[in-house]
Amino acid sequence: MMNEDQRMLAGKLSNPRDPELLARQRLAHRLVKQYNDTFDDERERRADLLKQLLPNSSERIYLQGPIFVDYGTHIKIGDHFYGNTNITFLDTGMITIGDNVLFGPNISLVTPMHPLRYQDRNFAANNDLPGKEYSKPITIEDNCWLASNVTVIGGVTIGNGSVIGAGSVVTRDIPANSLAVGNPCHVVRKITDQDDIRLKKELF
């Protein structure tokens, strides 16, 4: 029999009011608050807090802060990750981020899914939290760049080497080596050797 955490990660209806989940969430929110209260040069303190908050992630990551993380234990971030300010991870489902990924400011990765019918979504009787929810995972493969104000919805995979333009809402998979923009986000073209920065003479 699955516990609520296992049901959540399996994409099944789960109860966010489960005591174990609530305890883990409260711990994550406490660690987030402590992290957001640190200064940039408090590197050891920040590293220690991230180890507790993101125990399944690489130590070679940088998060400018402020950040928001729902659980932390459902997040895996690879080496050499850079996250600019105001990143939100709603990790009721698994969030997997590869190596050498860059995030601009105001990025949101949101895995929770809520029923479309209000009868299934409204607050449960005698409770102060909404009814059951389910989740879909998010995967961002190696070498991706998400520009500012991008939202990625649960169930999406962004392929290796892709760039997501500012303000995009990613609701479906993006293939590797693609430049994609818009709401909903769509592929504009492939990224090729013609995009080599050394060919842009005006920059030198």
Side-chain angles (χ1 to χ4, degrees), residues 70 90-93 109-114 133-136 153-154:
D70 225 3
L90 297 188
D91 59 316
T92 55
L109 305 187
V110 290
T111 66
M113 311 297 291
H114 298 281
E133 62 186 19
Y134 62 103
S135 302
K136 293 182 180 180
I153 304 301

Side-chain angles (χ1 to χ4, degrees), residues 47-119:
D48 179 64
L49 289 168
L50 286 182
K51 283 181 186 178
Q52 298 176 65
L53 181 61
L54 305 172
N56 301 313
S57 295
S58 169
E59 295 180 11
R60 291 183 288 274
I61 63 176
Y62 179 83
L63 290 162
Q64 173 63 47
I67 61 175
F68 182 81
V69 176
D70 225 3
Y71 293 97
T73 50
H74 303 152
I75 300 171
K76 291 182 181 178
I77 303 176
D79 288 338
H80 309 301
F81 171 82
Y82 175 85
N84 211 315
T85 188
N86 288 325
I87 290 177
T88 296
F89 294 109
L90 297 188
D91 59 316
T92 55
M94 197 69 204
I95 294 175
T96 305
I97 299 172
D99 298 333
N100 301 301
V101 172
L102 305 179
F103 279 10
N106 306 312
I107 302 296
S108 296
L109 305 187
V110 290
T111 66
M113 311 297 291
H114 298 281
L116 295 181
R117 296 175 69 250
Y118 73 84
Q119 295 93 336

Side-chain angles (χ1 to χ4, degrees), residues 94-185:
M94 197 69 204
I95 294 175
T96 305
I97 299 172
D99 298 333
N100 301 301
V101 172
L102 305 179
F103 279 10
N106 306 312
I107 302 296
S108 296
L109 305 187
V110 290
T111 66
M113 311 297 291
H114 298 281
L116 295 181
R117 296 175 69 250
Y118 73 84
Q119 295 93 336
D120 302 320
R121 190 178 60 243
N122 281 0
F123 282 54
N126 302 316
N127 208 300
D128 60 353
L129 288 172
K132 291 187 176 182
E133 62 186 19
Y134 62 103
S135 302
K136 293 182 180 180
I138 291 173
T139 300
I140 299 174
E141 297 180 350
D142 298 344
N143 307 306
C144 290
W145 170 32
L146 277 59
S148 59
N149 298 295
V150 168
T151 298
V152 183
I153 304 301
V156 164
T157 294
I158 299 175
N160 176 68
S162 287
V163 174
I164 309 299
S168 296
V169 179
V170 189
T171 60
R172 63 187 69 182
D173 291 352
I174 303 297
N177 300 309
S178 297
L179 174 61
V181 301
N183 181 7
C185 190

